[in-house]
Amino acid sequence: MRRALLLVLVLAACAPGRESDPLPGAPSVPSALARRLAHALAGKGPGYRPHTRHLRDDGTPRFTNRLILETSPYLLQHAHNPVDWYPWGEEAFARARRESRPVLLSVGYSTCHWCHVMEEESFEDEEIARYLNEHYVAIKVDREERPDLDEEYMSAVQAVSGSGGWPMTVWLTPERKPFYGGTYFPPRDGDHGRRRGFLSLLRALHDFFAERPLPDPEHADAPTEAVRRHAAPEAGDRLPDAGALRAAYAALAGDFDPEHGGFGGAPRFPSPPVLDFLLRYHRRTGEAHALEMVTRTLEAMAAGGIRDHVGGGFHRYATDVGWGVPHFEKTLYDNAQLAVVYLDAFQATGRAEFAAVAREILDWLAREMSDARGGFWSATDADSAGEEGTFFVWTRAQLDAVLEPGEAAAVAAFYGVTDAGNFHGATVLHVARPLGAVAADIGTAPEGLATTLATAREKLRTARAMRPAPATDTKVLAAWNGLAISAFARGAAVLDDDGYRARARAAAAFVLDHMRDGERLRRSDGATVGGFLDDYAFMAAGLVDLYEATFDPRWLREALALQAVLARDFWDDAGGGFFATARDAEPGLARAKPASDSVVPSGNAVAAETALRLAEFTGDDTHRRRADDTLRALGAALARAPTSAPRLLAALDFRLDRAKEIVIVAPAGAPDGAAPLLAEVRRIYLPNRVLTVAAEGAPLAAQAAVVPLAEGKTALGGHATAYVCDQGVCALPTADAGVLAAQLARVVPLP
């Protein structure tokens, strides 16, 4: 057995000159690499806490592997496993080819609970690590930094096992072809009631590979072919019509849970693109049930334990159909999308409670998920102090220790805190009964109870901050920041909040100024990986939203520039639509062209809708033709499974509508004169429109340079004037907010 010193680590702040233990079963590494690893570890400084149970008495790690050189928080979590991990790259596959070894690919992310479980049970286990190191080349991938790899191999895992999820565990040939895969595996046979454990699978699949170093088509080419089919769906030959929207509505109505809201069974995930589509469908058809499905779902989520009633924001998903007990991870992408759909529902219904939930989400993101440089961080963990959910749950004794007796009684009654609890003896706060009913029971007015609960929540948040907090993944991802920019820009506009406007500007400036190399985006602030379709599409959409919140032409010009890079580097000249990766990206098993939404919307859908918006702003029909070609290319996917692509349905709804082009011109020197008209536009739910506002003179000329539809418009009679047009046909200009509201309320029914 090869037992050699992997590296010598010099811990400047801890134990200078002390050698690390060799990784069990791993070969030695060149001295130059050993020095790099030692330097990286020493650079972590005296406050560094290695994420491992393999510690010496002085707190220094026994093991260190190549992942210490990475910037991804997820990869760094595994830098002290006894596994000889490699990051994704040619070095790992070259070794696999050279030594005729299979590759074990493990894909996850830093706030994934079951990733933590598999790490603790298997990747921290020295026996399992030894077998891996002696028989495999092991690769770790952060799915959030490499969504292309995650999507590619997830389709293979789903083809092999029938399901997917994280951690994703895939067995590859040295040629990167998958031949087996799954998700979480317990460490040994019989653990957690599972017949076969990870170590047994490692042995069996190694033996299988050793007998067939190039596995036969049944075992390697079939999953690879599934990847290719998934990546390149059959292209459509015509623009989809309203039948796709009607079919999706019918399917969703049949799957809706009228008691709890939401769709399907447990676990139950928020589905912002679905709710967005239903709001649009209600607007175009007047179908009451479409709106009912949205409002019931938003009510139930807001009342449930999936909402963090103390700190704001929503957890990743609920483990039950009633939204009661969540998986406690919180992500930027979920909360950004949910903020927008609650804002949309507020506009569509006028219900103030939906606006209040949106404010809570945005305030949480601004307070706890903001990088000092301007960007937004990615996620917070489900676990703290080694346990899931302990940061978020409460017992009655804990309430009594923090609150006045009357406050504790009110919180316990309203949020369902009991001695038995609903989560390991504690309670996930949830709205147990309506406010009025609780107020009547405790002998107070509903308004007074609301005030008491608000005061109590602030006290609980202060007390909770003293608990060991879940870890935060501080990656700044371009795509997810684009979603957040949209959320804050929309919040600024709908809620008339300058703080949200400033926060959106700061995030946009950070991504554009610090995450671009020339014209091209990088995926994250800490890595050199180039941007993907989602990064460009979501950022461009966010910048258009920011333009409509600020009317600063810079943001529209930047959106046009990002769309131009998409057209140049991601467009499929042969079949239409955008590929997920750029032309010069590392080649994979297939070049994907995503149609379906996942935890984030389809990049093709967002790019198509943004192209339609830019066509309205600029009058350049090139954008509309590109959107049409995208919808046409993905039309077959829409026809086959319309509910899998609700964001693409939203783009189609925009295309089938007569989008309103709104220009408001204020008198020269009186830009605030447009405020009453602008407030009317922002009050109304009107997803298929573009909006520009400027004062006469130089400001209007600057707008017209980017937005030609503003050219020639004037403030009639010295009063702020609104112009509402569609496809070049304009209603009479008006200075009357009531007349403007009537013009905006006219809806073109679905054909």
Side-chain angles (χ1 to χ4, degrees), residues 307-323:
R307 177 183 176 190
D308 181 356
H309 293 270
V310 169
F314 283 78
H315 299 292
R316 180 71 193 92
Y317 63 83
T319 60
D320 61 309
V321 296
W323 308 101

PDB file of all heavy atoms in Angstrom, residues 307-323:
ATOM      1  N   ARG A 307     -41.985  30.090   5.961  1.00  0.00           N
ATOM      2  CA  ARG A 307     -41.607  31.505   6.119  1.00  0.00           C
ATOM      3  C   ARG A 307     -40.893  31.689   7.448  1.00  0.00           C
ATOM      4  O   ARG A 307     -41.313  31.147   8.476  1.00  0.00           O
ATOM      5  CB  ARG A 307     -42.862  32.370   6.077  1.00  0.00           C
ATOM      6  CG  ARG A 307     -42.638  33.859   6.304  1.00  0.00           C
ATOM      7  CD  ARG A 307     -43.980  34.545   6.302  1.00  0.00           C
ATOM      8  NE  ARG A 307     -43.921  35.967   6.606  1.00  0.00           N
ATOM      9  CZ  ARG A 307     -44.993  36.719   6.852  1.00  0.00           C
ATOM     10  NH1 ARG A 307     -46.208  36.150   6.831  1.00  0.00           N
ATOM     11  NH2 ARG A 307     -44.876  37.996   7.115  1.00  0.00           N
ATOM     12  N   ASP A 308     -39.815  32.434   7.442  1.00  0.00           N
ATOM     13  CA  ASP A 308     -39.102  32.769   8.671  1.00  0.00           C
ATOM     14  C   ASP A 308     -39.802  33.980   9.276  1.00  0.00           C
ATOM     15  O   ASP A 308     -39.539  35.118   8.898  1.00  0.00           O
ATOM     16  CB  ASP A 308     -37.631  33.064   8.363  1.00  0.00           C
ATOM     17  CG  ASP A 308     -36.825  33.405   9.613  1.00  0.00           C
ATOM     18  OD1 ASP A 308     -37.416  33.485  10.712  1.00  0.00           O
ATOM     19  OD2 ASP A 308     -35.600  33.604   9.476  1.00  0.00           O
ATOM     20  N   HIS A 309     -40.694  33.728  10.226  1.00  0.00           N
ATOM     21  CA  HIS A 309     -41.533  34.794  10.773  1.00  0.00           C
ATOM     22  C   HIS A 309     -40.747  35.752  11.661  1.00  0.00           C
ATOM     23  O   HIS A 309     -41.210  36.868  11.916  1.00  0.00           O
ATOM     24  CB  HIS A 309     -42.695  34.187  11.568  1.00  0.00           C
ATOM     25  CG  HIS A 309     -43.674  33.451  10.718  1.00  0.00           C
ATOM     26  ND1 HIS A 309     -44.776  34.045  10.146  1.00  0.00           N
ATOM     27  CD2 HIS A 309     -43.714  32.150  10.308  1.00  0.00           C
ATOM     28  CE1 HIS A 309     -45.450  33.159   9.438  1.00  0.00           C
ATOM     29  NE2 HIS A 309     -44.832  31.996   9.529  1.00  0.00           N
ATOM     30  N   VAL A 310     -39.586  35.345  12.108  1.00  0.00           N
ATOM     31  CA  VAL A 310     -38.775  36.212  12.964  1.00  0.00           C
ATOM     32  C   VAL A 310     -37.784  37.030  12.149  1.00  0.00           C
ATOM     33  O   VAL A 310     -37.646  38.240  12.340  1.00  0.00           O
ATOM     34  CB  VAL A 310     -38.032  35.372  14.031  1.00  0.00           C
ATOM     35  CG1 VAL A 310     -36.975  36.206  14.754  1.00  0.00           C
ATOM     36  CG2 VAL A 310     -39.024  34.801  15.031  1.00  0.00           C
ATOM     37  N   GLY A 311     -37.093  36.385  11.222  1.00  0.00           N
ATOM     38  CA  GLY A 311     -36.009  37.054  10.514  1.00  0.00           C
ATOM     39  C   GLY A 311     -36.337  37.522   9.122  1.00  0.00           C
ATOM     40  O   GLY A 311     -35.586  38.305   8.533  1.00  0.00           O
ATOM     41  N   GLY A 312     -37.432  37.040   8.552  1.00  0.00           N
ATOM     42  CA  GLY A 312     -37.776  37.400   7.182  1.00  0.00           C
ATOM     43  C   GLY A 312     -37.246  36.392   6.189  1.00  0.00           C
ATOM     44  O   GLY A 312     -36.302  35.643   6.455  1.00  0.00           O
ATOM     45  N   GLY A 313     -37.852  36.368   5.016  1.00  0.00           N
ATOM     46  CA  GLY A 313     -37.445  35.437   3.973  1.00  0.00           C
ATOM     47  C   GLY A 313     -38.110  34.082   4.128  1.00  0.00           C
ATOM     48  O   GLY A 313     -38.809  33.798   5.111  1.00  0.00           O
ATOM     49  N   PHE A 314     -37.870  33.236   3.134  1.00  0.00           N
ATOM     50  CA  PHE A 314     -38.473  31.911   3.082  1.00  0.00           C
ATOM     51  C   PHE A 314     -37.390  30.846   3.022  1.00  0.00           C
ATOM     52  O   PHE A 314     -36.340  31.042   2.404  1.00  0.00           O
ATOM     53  CB  PHE A 314     -39.376  31.773   1.851  1.00  0.00           C
ATOM     54  CG  PHE A 314     -40.702  32.462   1.992  1.00  0.00           C
ATOM     55  CD1 PHE A 314     -40.799  33.832   1.846  1.00  0.00           C
ATOM     56  CD2 PHE A 314     -41.846  31.737   2.278  1.00  0.00           C
ATOM     57  CE1 PHE A 314     -42.021  34.482   1.976  1.00  0.00           C
ATOM     58  CE2 PHE A 314     -43.078  32.374   2.411  1.00  0.00           C
ATOM     59  CZ  PHE A 314     -43.162  33.750   2.261  1.00  0.00           C
ATOM     60  N   HIS A 315     -37.688  29.717   3.656  1.00  0.00           N
ATOM     61  CA  HIS A 315     -36.807  28.553   3.572  1.00  0.00           C
ATOM     62  C   HIS A 315     -37.006  27.854   2.227  1.00  0.00           C
ATOM     63  O   HIS A 315     -37.942  28.152   1.486  1.00  0.00           O
ATOM     64  CB  HIS A 315     -37.100  27.597   4.729  1.00  0.00           C
ATOM     65  CG  HIS A 315     -36.872  28.200   6.085  1.00  0.00           C
ATOM     66  ND1 HIS A 315     -35.617  28.527   6.553  1.00  0.00           N
ATOM     67  CD2 HIS A 315     -37.735  28.529   7.075  1.00  0.00           C
ATOM     68  CE1 HIS A 315     -35.718  29.037   7.778  1.00  0.00           C
ATOM     69  NE2 HIS A 315     -36.994  29.049   8.112  1.00  0.00           N
ATOM     70  N   ARG A 316     -36.118  26.903   1.959  1.00  0.00           N
ATOM     71  CA  ARG A 316     -36.033  26.312   0.622  1.00  0.00           C
ATOM     72  C   ARG A 316     -37.309  25.561   0.232  1.00  0.00           C
ATOM     73  O   ARG A 316     -37.802  25.706  -0.870  1.00  0.00           O
ATOM     74  CB  ARG A 316     -34.818  25.369   0.566  1.00  0.00           C
ATOM     75  CG  ARG A 316     -34.601  24.675  -0.749  1.00  0.00           C
ATOM     76  CD  ARG A 316     -34.112  25.641  -1.814  1.00  0.00           C
ATOM     77  NE  ARG A 316     -34.190  25.040  -3.134  1.00  0.00           N
ATOM     78  CZ  ARG A 316     -35.229  25.142  -3.948  1.00  0.00           C
ATOM     79  NH1 ARG A 316     -36.291  25.813  -3.589  1.00  0.00           N
ATOM     80  NH2 ARG A 316     -35.228  24.580  -5.127  1.00  0.00           N
ATOM     81  N   TYR A 317     -37.832  24.736   1.124  1.00  0.00           N
ATOM     82  CA  TYR A 317     -39.060  24.000   0.826  1.00  0.00           C
ATOM     83  C   TYR A 317     -39.659  23.498   2.117  1.00  0.00           C
ATOM     84  O   TYR A 317     -39.030  23.540   3.184  1.00  0.00           O
ATOM     85  CB  TYR A 317     -38.810  22.843  -0.147  1.00  0.00           C
ATOM     86  CG  TYR A 317     -37.887  21.739   0.335  1.00  0.00           C
ATOM     87  CD1 TYR A 317     -38.347  20.707   1.148  1.00  0.00           C
ATOM     88  CD2 TYR A 317     -36.544  21.717  -0.052  1.00  0.00           C
ATOM     89  CE1 TYR A 317     -37.505  19.692   1.574  1.00  0.00           C
ATOM     90  CE2 TYR A 317     -35.694  20.703   0.369  1.00  0.00           C
ATOM     91  CZ  TYR A 317     -36.172  19.696   1.180  1.00  0.00           C
ATOM     92  OH  TYR A 317     -35.336  18.688   1.605  1.00  0.00           O
ATOM     93  N   ALA A 318     -40.911  23.023   2.039  1.00  0.00           N
ATOM     94  CA  ALA A 318     -41.588  22.422   3.187  1.00  0.00           C
ATOM     95  C   ALA A 318     -41.582  20.912   3.042  1.00  0.00           C
ATOM     96  O   ALA A 318     -41.768  20.386   1.940  1.00  0.00           O
ATOM     97  CB  ALA A 318     -43.020  22.932   3.298  1.00  0.00           C
ATOM     98  N   THR A 319     -41.407  20.228   4.139  1.00  0.00           N
ATOM     99  CA  THR A 319     -41.385  18.766   4.108  1.00  0.00           C
ATOM    100  C   THR A 319     -42.788  18.171   4.088  1.00  0.00           C
ATOM    101  O   THR A 319     -42.940  16.971   3.885  1.00  0.00           O
ATOM    102  CB  THR A 319     -40.629  18.221   5.328  1.00  0.00           C
ATOM    103  OG1 THR A 319     -41.283  18.663   6.531  1.00  0.00           O
ATOM    104  CG2 THR A 319     -39.187  18.722   5.340  1.00  0.00           C
ATOM    105  N   ASP A 320     -43.807  19.021   4.275  1.00  0.00           N
ATOM    106  CA  ASP A 320     -45.191  18.561   4.317  1.00  0.00           C
ATOM    107  C   ASP A 320     -46.029  19.414   3.372  1.00  0.00           C
ATOM    108  O   ASP A 320     -45.638  20.513   2.979  1.00  0.00           O
ATOM    109  CB  ASP A 320     -45.735  18.666   5.747  1.00  0.00           C
ATOM    110  CG  ASP A 320     -45.709  20.103   6.246  1.00  0.00           C
ATOM    111  OD1 ASP A 320     -44.651  20.748   6.138  1.00  0.00           O
ATOM    112  OD2 ASP A 320     -46.749  20.611   6.711  1.00  0.00           O
ATOM    113  N   VAL A 321     -47.220  18.924   3.022  1.00  0.00           N
ATOM    114  CA  VAL A 321     -48.061  19.659   2.083  1.00  0.00           C
ATOM    115  C   VAL A 321     -48.640  20.921   2.696  1.00  0.00           C
ATOM    116  O   VAL A 321     -49.069  21.826   1.969  1.00  0.00           O
ATOM    117  CB  VAL A 321     -49.203  18.773   1.539  1.00  0.00           C
ATOM    118  CG1 VAL A 321     -48.649  17.621   0.723  1.00  0.00           C
ATOM    119  CG2 VAL A 321     -50.118  18.285   2.658  1.00  0.00           C
ATOM    120  N   GLY A 322     -48.660  21.022   4.026  1.00  0.00           N
ATOM    121  CA  GLY A 322     -49.235  22.188   4.682  1.00  0.00           C
ATOM    122  C   GLY A 322     -48.254  23.315   4.910  1.00  0.00           C
ATOM    123  O   GLY A 322     -48.579  24.262   5.642  1.00  0.00           O
ATOM    124  N   TRP A 323     -47.067  23.240   4.344  1.00  0.00           N
ATOM    125  CA  TRP A 323     -46.032  24.274   4.459  1.00  0.00           C
ATOM    126  C   TRP A 323     -45.569  24.469   5.896  1.00  0.00           C
ATOM    127  O   TRP A 323     -45.034  25.532   6.238  1.00  0.00           O
ATOM    128  CB  TRP A 323     -46.540  25.630   3.924  1.00  0.00           C
ATOM    129  CG  TRP A 323     -47.115  25.609   2.557  1.00  0.00           C
ATOM    130  CD1 TRP A 323     -48.423  25.594   2.213  1.00  0.00           C
ATOM    131  CD2 TRP A 323     -46.391  25.610   1.308  1.00  0.00           C
ATOM    132  NE1 TRP A 323     -48.585  25.588   0.841  1.00  0.00           N
ATOM    133  CE2 TRP A 323     -47.339  25.596   0.259  1.00  0.00           C
ATOM    134  CE3 TRP A 323     -45.034  25.628   0.979  1.00  0.00           C
ATOM    135  CZ2 TRP A 323     -46.992  25.598  -1.080  1.00  0.00           C
ATOM    136  CZ3 TRP A 323     -44.687  25.631  -0.361  1.00  0.00           C
ATOM    137  CH2 TRP A 323     -45.650  25.612  -1.373  1.00  0.00           C
TER     138      TRP A 323
END
